[in-house]
Amino acid sequence: MTRSATAPAGAVAPRGETTVTPPAAASAAAIRTDDPTTDPAADSTAAADAQASAPSGLPGSGDDDPDERTAADSAAQRRTRSAASPTGAEFTRPRGMFSSLRVRNYRYYFAGQVVSNTGTWMQRIAQDWLVLSLTGSPLAVGITTAMQFLPMLLLGLFGGVLADRMPKRRLLIHTQGTMGLLAAGLAVLTIGDVVTPYYVYAFALLLGLVTVVDNPTRQAFVSEMVGPKDLANAVSLNAANFQTARLVGPAAAGLLIAAVGSGWAFAVNALSFAAVIGGLLAMRESELRPTEPIAREKGQLREGLRYVKERPELLWPMVLAGFIGTFGFNFPTLLSGFAHDTFKVGAGQYGILNTAMAVGSLAGALLAARRGAPRLRRLVGAALAFGTLEVVAAFAPDYWTFALLLTLIGVFGLSFNTSVNSTLQLATDPEMRGRVMGLLVLVFTGGTPIGAPVVGWVTASYGPRLGLLACGVVSALAAAAVGLVLARSADLRVRFDLHPGRGGRVVAFVPRAASAGKGELVPAC
């Protein structure tokens, strides 16, 4: 999940299940710290038999992965794997960097997103340039951005409810088509030379309203295309897709604006939505794993909040995402301050800083795609590394050291984004996934109107170094606190072993009941 007007999940993440059973009745003591996606009743023979006899994918799904689980994976084998961990966790080995692309429907979706994300970045750059050209005021650019994010802050939870109430593929066709029409309308006004700043504000607000529904729906739809076994990989590839567009789109927009003006960048973006809609229409419905839409009832929004509140394995990653999103990801304000005030470089060097972070984010997404099922250990570790690197970068002695550290920050920031997205989706019951992903998008991107002014004030008053230092300290402390809370909830404690031996860990979590020297190691959180 990345920070943008239409972040995927990037991204946020955005949200049947046969190889993973969501923890519908999990208690705080049953948190799986090594793999939060496994069935809490995995040690039950009946549940294991049911899972062993169920195919991993639908017949004719087009998924020809040789690692596909079959009925031969018996209940006894599952219990043997579960016995290897005190938490009863079942480990999933990585299936390859591009494993989800074996699924035909996801290939169509991915190809459409390549085109659409590039168009989205083109419009974002053209929109900011147009407002700046019309007004000459950076404040007007900030107002435009606020108009686009404000609906998510106010209505983000309602978007998740709608995602659970309606068929997601059909809903996406409507939201993507509406976005295309909005881009076309802005293109007509701009090319016709009748556009004003107020028109741009209005179109940004309307786009934000559509995004409220589109974002959680897109994230929840991923599991319906690929199923649980490839969900983490698909989330990572979506993020890689978005970061690639982040590298290509602004450059293409700059060339197009210089050649023919901003209006044509909006027109190209309008056309790009045809690729997404075409991919959605070309999908085979028989190969999807649709979640039955819930009937409209009162209290469904409160039900979603209560659902997250009662499940620590959802609540605490969500809390961490809120802290990281609100305070950790404020790079537009910080990078401009470092470029202009600290290192005193021009626009070209400022662009290199943004490119360095985008390259790191792309690398982080591809690395995440190689891993297996998400683990809370990885999620908390990525957040801790992200915050620590921000602290280190605040003291960078020169421009190029700072640029290198930004690349590493991009790697771990994107690793956290993809981990929290796939972790929450896999740990959520299908009928609740839209609401959970809506809440994730809300806490991650909805905090921008809160965190950005605070970070901006610190940066303006005390300098960008102190601003970045504050962001890093908050992120690192939040990661450490959430990691300890999750470990305590799972009745684990930290164990340090300076001589772990082959295959051991220097830092690991062990059950509190185990003796200090004999407890079986658990892959940490």
Side-chain angles (χ1 to χ4, degrees):
M1 198 180 55
T2 50
R3 176 68 56 86
S4 82
T6 55
V12 170
R15 251 178 131 60
E17 314 280 345
T18 55
T19 61
V20 175
T21 302
S27 64
I31 296 177
R32 279 79 61 208
T33 56
D34 48 358
D35 186 331
T37 67
T38 53
D39 187 352
D43 57 348
S44 166
T45 303
D49 288 336
Q51 286 188 344
S53 62
S56 294
L58 298 180
S61 66
D63 188 350
D64 54 357
D65 186 357
D67 292 333
E68 184 80 68
R69 285 183 181 148
T70 64
D73 191 2
S74 66
Q77 291 173 312
R78 290 177 182 271
R79 288 193 296 273
T80 299
R81 286 196 300 270
S82 297
S85 167
T87 60
E90 182 176 327
F91 295 95
T92 303
R93 288 184 290 181
R95 296 163 52 81
M97 183 178 291
F98 303 103
S99 62
S100 54
L101 291 177
R102 295 168 180 158
V103 181
R104 177 184 180 276
N105 285 341
Y106 181 72
R107 286 199 300 272
Y108 280 104
Y109 177 83
F110 185 88
Q113 287 294 316
V114 169
V115 178
S116 181
N117 284 335
T118 302
T120 296
W121 274 104
M122 292 179 66
Q123 169 147 338
R124 182 173 179 178
I125 298 301
Q127 179 178 276
D128 291 348
W129 184 258
L130 174 63
V131 172
L132 192 61
S133 301
L134 292 173
T135 65
S137 170
L139 176 60
V141 178
I143 292 174
T144 306
T145 302
M147 288 290 180
Q148 206 155 321
F149 277 103
L150 189 61
M152 183 60 68
L153 177 63
L154 299 178
L155 303 171
L157 293 176
F158 292 98
V161 173
L162 288 177
D164 284 333
R165 286 179 179 175
M166 302 179 65
K168 294 176 181 59
R169 175 169 167 267
R170 186 189 310 167
L171 186 57
L172 282 176
I173 292 173
H174 290 302
T175 57
Q176 294 288 305
T178 303
M179 287 179 171
L181 291 176
L182 289 173
L186 191 55
V188 170
L189 292 175
T190 306
I191 294 172
D193 201 24
V194 294
V195 69
T196 67
Y198 297 102
Y199 282 133
V200 182
Y201 297 159
F203 274 89
L205 180 63
L206 291 172
L207 181 61
L209 289 170
V210 180
T211 303
V212 164
V213 180
D214 181 81
N215 210 317
T217 306
R218 276 191 297 115
Q219 303 214 37
F221 184 60
V222 175
S223 66
E224 296 191 2
M225 288 184 287
V226 302
K229 64 186 176 59
D230 279 322
L231 178 60
N233 178 264
V235 169
S236 299
L237 289 185
N238 284 348
N241 187 325
F242 189 78
Q243 295 303 325
T244 302
R246 182 181 175 185
L247 292 171
V248 176
L255 293 174
L256 198 59
I257 292 169
V260 291
S262 298
W264 292 101
F266 301 143
V268 170
N269 184 42
L271 292 174
S272 74
F273 286 98
V276 180
I277 296 173
L280 290 168
L281 292 173
M283 290 181 180
R284 294 173 182 166
E285 289 192 60
S286 61
E287 297 176 9
L288 293 172
R289 300 163 171 83
T291 301
E292 188 69 23
I294 61 175
R296 181 174 181 176
E297 296 178 358
K298 290 183 178 180
Q300 290 175 332
L301 179 58
R302 291 191 300 272
E303 181 186 8
L305 294 173
R306 185 168 57 251
Y307 180 86
V308 172
K309 180 182 177 182
E310 294 174 350
R311 288 161 175 77
E313 71 274 23
L314 299 179
L315 175 62
W316 291 109
M318 195 82 73
V319 169
L320 182 55
F323 275 100
I324 298 292
T326 300
F327 298 103
F329 281 89
N330 281 287
F331 295 107
T333 300
L334 292 167
L335 294 189
S336 59
F338 270 94
H340 185 268
D341 300 326
T342 304
F343 300 121
K344 302 186 186 305
V345 296
Q349 288 86 347
Y350 171 66
I352 290 175
L353 295 180
N354 285 278
T355 300
M357 177 158 284
V359 169
S361 297
L362 176 59
L366 293 175
L367 288 173
R370 290 180 59 87
R371 304 185 186 116
R375 296 176 180 175
L376 292 176
R377 168 177 59 88
R378 186 178 301 146
L379 185 154
V380 174
L384 184 60
F386 172 80
T388 302
L389 284 169
E390 286 193 328
V391 171
V392 174
F395 299 99
D398 56 65
Y399 171 85
W400 291 109
T401 301
F402 184 71
L404 176 61
L405 288 169
L406 282 181
T407 304
L408 296 176
I409 289 171
V411 171
F412 286 101
L414 207 287
S415 294
F416 171 77
N417 287 355
T418 56
S419 292
V420 74
N421 188 307
S422 51
T423 294
L424 293 180
Q425 290 208 52
L426 285 169
T428 301
D429 293 311
E431 66 273 13
M432 300 294 298
R433 192 168 287 131
R435 278 165 284 183
V436 171
M437 298 314 296
L439 182 58
L440 176 62
V441 173
L442 171 64
V443 300
F444 194 81
T445 65
T448 300
I450 300 172
V454 174
V455 174
W457 175 80
V458 173
T459 301
S461 301
Y462 302 102
R465 288 190 184 276
L466 191 58
L468 183 58
L469 176 64
C471 291
V473 168
V474 170
S475 299
L477 288 178
V482 168
L484 290 175
V485 168
L486 287 170
R488 187 174 183 82
S489 298
D491 200 28
L492 301 175
R493 62 177 178 82
V494 181
R495 173 179 172 177
F496 296 93
D497 187 354
L498 298 180
H499 304 284
R502 185 176 180 180
R505 297 180 184 275
V506 175
V507 180
F509 286 92
V510 298
R512 290 181 182 275
S515 63
K518 299 179 181 179
E520 187 169 6
L521 296 182
V522 182
C525 278

